[in-house]
């Protein structure tokens, strides 16, 4: 596959606007961002707990 050019990006954005509407997209992006933050926190939390468990041994 090749890279996405400016024309393809504009078409994708236009399709998203038609499907979800202008007001719904910021809500979707906010949810996506908070989901990614939770995932990062959870993955860091697991690393921290394993380090603590190793230190206790």
């Amino acid at each position: 596959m090749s890279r996405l050019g400016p024309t393809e990006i504009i078409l994708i954005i236009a399709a998203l606007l038609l499907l979800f509407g202008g007001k719904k997209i910021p809500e979707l992006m906010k949810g996506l961002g908070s989901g990614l933050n939770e995932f990062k926190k959870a993955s860091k939390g697991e690393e921290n707990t394993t380090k603590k468990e190793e230190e206790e041994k």
Side-chain angles (χ1 to χ4, degrees):
M1 288 197 129
S2 63
R3 291 184 171 181
L4 293 176
T7 306
E8 289 87 2
I9 293 173
I10 292 171
L11 288 174
I12 292 170
I13 291 172
L16 287 174
L17 283 172
L18 288 173
L19 287 173
F20 297 110
K23 293 184 180 180
K24 190 70 175 175
I25 291 177
E27 294 174 17
L28 291 171
M29 293 299 115
K30 184 178 178 182
L32 180 65
S34 64
L36 287 174
N37 284 336
E38 289 296 320
F39 178 75
K40 287 179 183 178
K41 287 179 186 177
S43 64
K44 287 181 182 179
E46 289 179 12
E47 290 176 4
N48 290 338
T49 57
T50 55
K51 288 180 182 177
K52 289 179 183 177
E53 290 173 358
E54 290 175 1
E55 290 175 359
E56 292 175 355
K57 292 181 180 179

